[in-house]
Amino acid sequence: MARVKTGRYPAELAPSAVEALRKLGGHWPDRELAVSLNRMLCKTGDGESWTTVRVREMRERLGIPEYDAAKVDVPMISLTKAAETLGICVGSAKSLAKKGILPATQILPGSQWMVPVEALTSEAVRIGVQGVADRRPKFYEDYQYDKVVRLPGL
């Protein structure tokens, strides 16, 4: 029996594009929806990959409202933005979310993680981020600086 390659989305778990748009529509802008649909291996009717324009057209055809950040009762950000705000990598943020330290949810497997903005300042998240920072090398900034290509005159 063939195994699913690492990082691949299993074909049997792939939802239909209509089902995915009905669940994800209104939670994310069209660009993020296109990324999620492509990540979940959903194809358009003609077998093409999703673009922002195709998502908008399908969303309008289905009558799904556009994402509006002003109408959201609890402000949410993506896991990538949360990791950037916390000063950790996305992998560490995902690890904190899977452990339940960072309250993040995923509507469908393969879709964007949703993190409440106010959760980033909680004590549990702060302790979790400190644990990630404690695992870093002693001279973390110098270690990162050595990996940067330095161009003369810049």
Side-chain angles (χ1 to χ4, degrees):
M1 178 176 212
R3 292 174 45 183
V4 176
K5 292 182 180 178
T6 304
R8 304 286 183 205
Y9 197 86
E12 63 271 3
L13 292 180
S16 71
V18 173
E19 175 189 345
L21 270 176
R22 287 192 194 281
K23 289 184 179 179
L24 297 173
H27 293 286
W28 295 109
D30 291 343
R31 184 177 186 285
E32 278 78 16
L33 289 175
V35 170
S36 293
L37 289 171
N38 288 326
R39 188 180 300 139
M40 291 186 286
L41 301 178
C42 294
K43 295 290 182 188
T44 61
D46 56 356
E48 297 290 326
S49 60
W50 288 94
T51 62
T52 305
V53 173
R54 288 181 179 138
V55 168
R56 187 190 72 231
E57 290 172 352
M58 176 68 98
R59 186 180 44 73
E60 288 173 352
R61 236 181 286 138
L62 295 172
I64 299 169
E66 185 177 2
Y67 172 75
D68 187 9
K71 292 182 181 178
V72 178
D73 51 349
V74 178
M76 299 280 206
I77 58 174
S78 68
L79 191 66
T80 306
K81 297 260 191 238
E84 194 176 292
T85 304
L86 295 171
I88 58 176
C89 70
V90 178
S92 296
K94 188 173 181 179
S95 174
L96 290 175
K98 286 188 174 187
K99 290 177 184 175
I101 297 170
L102 181 64
T105 56
Q106 219 178 7
I107 297 173
L108 288 173
S111 66
Q112 295 260 3
W113 287 86
M114 299 169 58
V115 180
V117 174
E118 68 268 2
L120 299 178
T121 58
S122 71
E123 185 68 22
V125 172
R126 191 186 63 73
I127 291 169
V129 170
Q130 186 60 44
V132 169
D134 290 344
R135 291 191 305 265
R136 291 180 178 158
K138 186 175 179 183
F139 301 105
Y140 180 70
E141 287 78 17
D142 295 338
Y143 178 75
Q144 292 296 319
Y145 186 70
D146 288 342
K147 301 292 182 188
V148 176
V149 176
R150 294 183 206 124
L151 298 174
L154 293 179

